[in-house]
Amino acid sequence: MTQLDIVEKVATAFSAGTILVGIVGLGLVETLTGKPFGAAPMTNDAGEVVATPTVDPAIRTGLVILGLVVLFGVGLYRMAATDAAGTDTRREVTAD
């Protein structure tokens, strides 16, 4: 196992945070505020919008996608941080 440098730690924490806020945090907000639980606005038989979600689904989706893009960037950074032989240039750490 190799040590994570500060860039990887910050990016991984940011990625995890945005994904958790997008899925869990805003999902709890949506649940606690009551119905509707769906992502689409609810309409009546006449086609009038009678209820909309508390948090726009585009915001929730955007947070999750942002977290995944940052996580993908961390993977690209890790690939660029290795030398041409495929070995990691960082030092190994033994467990205590």
Side-chain angles (χ1 to χ4, degrees), residues 73-93:
V74 171
L76 290 177
Y77 175 78
R78 293 275 311 209
M79 287 187 345
T82 59
D83 61 1
T87 58
D88 202 345
T89 57
R90 289 169 259 178
R91 60 188 174 101
E92 295 288 326
V93 180

Side-chain angles (χ1 to χ4, degrees), residues 39-81:
M42 292 174 54
T43 59
N44 60 11
D45 292 334
E48 299 174 61
V49 175
V50 293
T52 58
T54 306
V55 179
D56 187 22
I59 294 173
R60 293 181 70 185
T61 305
L63 284 172
V64 174
I65 289 174
L66 176 65
L68 292 174
V69 166
V70 170
L71 197 58
F72 180 71
V74 171
L76 290 177
Y77 175 78
R78 293 275 311 209
M79 287 187 345

Side-chain angles (χ1 to χ4, degrees), residues 13-30 55 59-64 67:
F14 177 77
S15 176
T18 57
I19 290 173
L20 285 175
V21 166
I23 295 173
V24 178
L26 295 180
L28 283 173
V29 167
E30 200 65 45
V55 179
I59 294 173
R60 293 181 70 185
T61 305
L63 284 172
V64 174

